[in-house]
Amino acid sequence: MSAKAQPQLALTFDEYLALDREAEVRSEFANGQMLAMAGGSREHALIAHNLNTAFGLQFKNRQCFTFGSDMRLAVMTKKHGRYPDLSLICGQPLFYQRDTLTNPTVLIEVLSKSTEAEDRGIKAEEYRTLPSLQEYLLIAQDRYHVEHYVRQSDQQWLLTEYRELHETIALNSINCQLRLADIYDKWELLSDEA
C-alpha cells in the first residue's frame, strides 16, 4: 500500500511572518503558502544597485526612504507577503509587526524570464490594491525598456514606455527624476560578456 501525499496546510499571514523571519532563504507568501525566492542575475543585481544609488542621491536630506529587496511588503487586502526589488516612500513608513512595510508610494520590479509573468500579472494586480501606491515600474534586464504605470482617478493606470538612454522618467509622487542612462549604467559591460 502506498502512502498518499498529504495536502500542505495553509499558513496564516502571521505564521508566515514568524517562519520567514527565522528562515535562511526569503520566501514570499500567497494563498496560505510560502514560495521560496530565486536568486537574481548579475544584470538584475547591477540594475538594482543603480536604482538604489539614483534614489539615494535624490533622497538625501529628505524624509524619503529606499527599501531594497530585503524589505518585505504586506499586501493586506490579500494577506500576501511580497519582496519587491525596490519600495520607495516619502513620508512616514508604516509597518506591520515592525518589519513588514505597508505603505509604499512607488514599487519597482526588475524583470527576469522566471518572474516576468508573475510581476506583470498577479503581483501587479495585488500591488494596485495598495491605497498608498501611486507609481509602479517594470524594468527589463535584457534590453533598454521601462514601463511606468501611474495611478489615475477611477481605478485607472496610465502606462508610459521608455526605450532610449537619453529619456528621463518623472516620478512625481516622490518628486524624483530617473534617467534610463542611470538605470542601465555599465549594463552593456555585463550583457556583452560571453
Side-chain angles (χ1 to χ4, degrees):
M1 183 189 255
S2 64
K4 286 187 176 180
Q6 296 295 318
Q8 193 174 9
L9 296 176
L11 298 171
T12 67
F13 188 68
D14 289 342
E15 289 170 334
Y16 152 71
L17 290 177
L19 290 169
D20 195 47
R21 286 182 189 117
E22 299 300 319
E24 290 182 24
V25 176
R26 292 174 307 158
S27 293
E28 291 192 323
F29 181 72
N31 303 318
Q33 305 299 315
M34 290 180 73
L35 312 163
M37 296 184 61
S41 69
R42 60 190 181 186
E43 291 85 0
H44 186 286
L46 177 68
I47 291 169
H49 168 76
N50 289 344
L51 291 166
N52 274 311
T53 300
F55 288 114
L57 292 171
Q58 294 182 68
F59 284 174
K60 194 165 181 68
N61 300 318
R62 295 175 56 198
Q63 189 178 344
C64 297
F65 302 88
T66 303
F67 295 109
S69 60
D70 287 332
M71 175 55 70
R72 187 176 31 251
L73 171 68
V75 182
M76 297 308 291
T77 55
K78 298 280 192 179
K79 297 288 190 213
H80 286 182
R82 299 295 187 180
Y83 281 97
D85 289 315
L86 231 61
S87 301
L88 307 168
I89 183 168
C90 287
Q92 184 63 44
L94 301 176
F95 296 93
Y96 181 81
Q97 291 190 4
R98 88 183 181 281
D99 62 357
T100 306
L101 185 67
T102 63
N103 66 330
T105 307
V106 177
L107 290 174
I108 300 176
E109 293 285 6
V110 179
L111 302 174
S112 68
K113 289 179 184 173
S114 64
T115 65
E116 183 171 359
E118 188 171 10
D119 289 341
R120 290 182 179 288
I122 192 66
K123 277 185 166 182
E125 182 181 330
E126 289 176 11
Y127 293 163
R128 288 191 303 265
T129 69
L130 296 167
S132 63
L133 187 68
Q134 297 302 308
E135 300 181 75
Y136 181 46
L137 294 176
L138 294 173
I139 300 176
Q141 66 172 301
D142 60 349
R143 66 191 183 285
Y144 303 134
H145 186 228
V146 176
E147 296 173 38
H148 179 208
Y149 295 86
V150 179
R151 186 185 294 273
Q152 307 294 296
S153 59
D154 300 325
Q155 300 297 314
Q156 294 180 359
W157 290 78
L158 176 65
L159 166 64
T160 305
E161 295 182 79
Y162 300 87
R163 292 186 177 88
E164 303 294 331
L165 288 179
H166 64 83
E167 294 179 296
T168 299
I169 302 165
L171 296 159
N172 294 325
S173 65
I174 56 173
N175 193 27
C176 285
Q177 303 286 316
L178 185 59
R179 296 178 338 126
L180 259 70
D182 292 334
I183 296 171
Y184 291 102
D185 184 45
K186 297 185 180 86
W187 175 82
E188 286 184 355
L189 298 175
L190 293 181
S191 63
D192 286 343
E193 275 187 25

